[in-house]
Amino acid sequence: MTTIYLIRHAEAEGNLYRIAQGQHDSNLTDRGWRQVQALERRFAGVSIDAVYSSDLYRTRATASALYKPRGLTPILRQDLREICVGDWEGRTWGDILRRTPQAMEDFGKRMDRWSIPGAETPAQVLKRIQAAVEDIAAQNPGKTLAVFSHGYAIRLLLASLQGISLAETGEKSPTGDNTAVSLLEWDGAALRVIWQNDNSHLKTPEFLAGEKAVRRAYALEPGLWFRPLEGEALPLGQEPASGGGLTLTGYLGEEAVGLLRMEPETGRIIWLCIRPDCQRRGFGTQFLGQAVQYTRAQGGAELSALLPPDSPARPFFLDCGFTPANGGPEGRELLLKRIGFDPDI
């Protein structure tokens, strides 16, 4: 009997920033790295013979929780990747909902009828990942394996192995949490699910001690969509700092909720403002997601912000992973956030 721990990747930028990831590469969040540590604690003392992973960064990084402590080399496979979502990739869920509401609903609820240009169909993904896991199992008879993949692909596989059709998967088979663990067995002929989507390692005192009392968006909650400001009146009653750069307006539906002004070439956030009645709803974090995308597209690996003394925005930036740094001009505090990928993963 071959034993397979099937594990979803840790929280990644798309999960937090409400961006469709698909096969678009993204980094783990600060919380995601804490989940990796929790996963390592969970599997301490568990014998693992081999670690397989999707070749996307967010799964490779999560798999490091198991392969690094054991001195194993992860075996990377493209057929363990997440569903390719075509022209949705890299776009915000808010923009996708606004442009294609029926397809958005079908993606989460009616996988049997979801199809968009350039994307895989759920049926194709199911066929791909099931063949991959069966092939891995067949190559490792009698061994204990860890296989790291993605939420949508794992959801499709677990549902199918339990006799749930694509039409019913949306209703009967929820997506597991980031780093959720499922246990499969292979008897040489077929896979079967022993248990699924266990996240008990995220409920331990060690992990919960680092949790913050802030609202977080998950699954397919849409959030904002963005567009550059082009000569329109600023809706918040004040002007951003002068100079070059990019100004983005963020919208919930058709209502503007905030502005971001930044320099993508340097990663410098010049100005970020959320309308007072829209604050504490996770929107500021989604603006930071746009700053990450624009800066990374220019080859940057760091965001920065200069804050005046006693700035009310300081707690927000610190909560989002910025840290104080030397080098700011007199009377301003420099905060930095690394957004680059770890070259050792």
Side-chain angles (χ1 to χ4, degrees), residues 11-145:
E11 183 184 79
E13 291 169 334
N15 304 127
L16 180 62
Y17 299 146
R18 311 313 311 132
I19 295 169
Q21 296 177 113
Q23 296 185 5
H24 179 80
D25 236 350
S26 60
N27 210 333
L28 297 186
T29 66
D30 295 336
R31 185 173 190 252
W33 285 112
R34 291 197 308 104
Q35 292 173 340
V36 170
Q37 294 172 348
L39 200 61
E40 181 177 345
R41 290 192 295 266
R42 173 182 183 144
F43 279 91
V46 177
S47 178
I48 300 291
D49 296 304
V51 174
Y52 288 79
S53 173
S54 151
D55 63 336
L56 297 178
Y57 182 86
R58 58 190 184 271
T59 34
R60 301 192 331 254
T62 308
S64 69
L66 273 66
Y67 74 75
K68 283 191 173 183
R70 292 164 177 80
L72 298 171
T73 299
I75 302 169
L76 306 182
R77 296 183 55 139
Q78 288 190 7
D79 49 8
L80 292 173
R81 283 185 176 190
E82 182 60 291
I83 182 172
C84 172
V85 292
D87 65 8
W88 283 11
E89 299 211 358
R91 290 168 53 193
T92 68
W93 289 115
D95 182 49
I96 292 166
L97 176 65
R98 173 173 170 263
R99 295 175 183 269
T100 53
Q102 186 58 58
M104 175 81 170
E105 182 176 1
D106 289 345
F107 186 69
K109 296 181 179 179
R110 285 297 303 268
M111 288 77 160
D112 58 312
R113 63 189 185 195
W114 184 80
S115 177
I116 66 167
E120 293 178 283
T121 66
Q124 289 171 328
V125 177
L126 173 59
K127 181 179 180 180
R128 165 170 62 79
I129 191 170
Q130 184 160 347
V133 176
E134 288 178 351
D135 180 60
I136 290 168
Q139 291 181 33
N140 294 275
K143 294 183 179 181
T144 299
L145 313 172

Side-chain angles (χ1 to χ4, degrees), residues 240-245 260-263 268-272 304-306:
S242 60
L260 167 72
R261 188 174 181 88
M262 66 169 299
E263 297 171 347
R268 174 63 53 85
I269 294 173
I270 300 170
W271 193 80
L272 172 59
S304 64
L306 286 174

Side-chain angles (χ1 to χ4, degrees), residues 179-344:
T179 68
V181 181
S182 300
L183 183 64
L184 309 181
E185 285 185 349
W186 168 261
D187 62 5
L191 293 166
R192 66 187 181 106
V193 179
I194 307 304
W195 43 261
Q196 69 182 63
N197 294 334
D198 182 80
N199 67 348
S200 56
H201 53 287
L202 303 182
K203 299 178 181 179
T204 64
E206 294 94 334
F207 181 78
L208 293 176
E211 286 288 77
K212 300 170 183 176
V214 295
R215 180 182 180 275
R216 308 183 76 92
Y218 290 106
L220 297 180
E221 181 178 314
L224 305 180
W225 62 277
F226 301 87
R227 71 180 177 195
L229 187 67
E230 298 177 352
E232 59 192 85
L234 295 176
L236 300 175
Q238 51 183 310
E239 294 290 327
S242 60
L246 169 73
T247 301
L248 292 177
T249 308
Y251 296 86
L252 184 64
E254 300 303 315
E255 185 177 6
V257 302
L259 286 173
L260 167 72
R261 188 174 181 88
M262 66 169 299
E263 297 171 347
E265 296 81 6
T266 65
R268 174 63 53 85
I269 294 173
I270 300 170
W271 193 80
L272 172 59
C273 183
I274 307 298
R275 211 174 66 197
D277 62 322
C278 293
Q279 294 176 4
R280 301 186 181 278
R281 296 173 61 182
F283 297 149
T285 303
Q286 294 177 49
F287 272 97
L288 287 184
Q290 295 301 297
V292 169
Q293 285 199 309
Y294 276 96
T295 300
R296 192 173 286 149
Q298 297 294 320
E302 186 175 72
L303 296 182
S304 64
L306 286 174
L307 301 182
D310 303 318
S311 169
R314 188 175 191 271
F316 166 76
F317 281 102
L318 294 180
D319 186 64
C320 291
F322 285 75
T323 57
N326 297 323
E330 185 176 355
R332 294 269 174 166
E333 182 181 23
L334 176 64
L335 300 180
L336 299 177
K337 177 179 176 66
R338 295 288 300 172
I339 61 171
F341 296 96
D342 185 342
D344 294 329

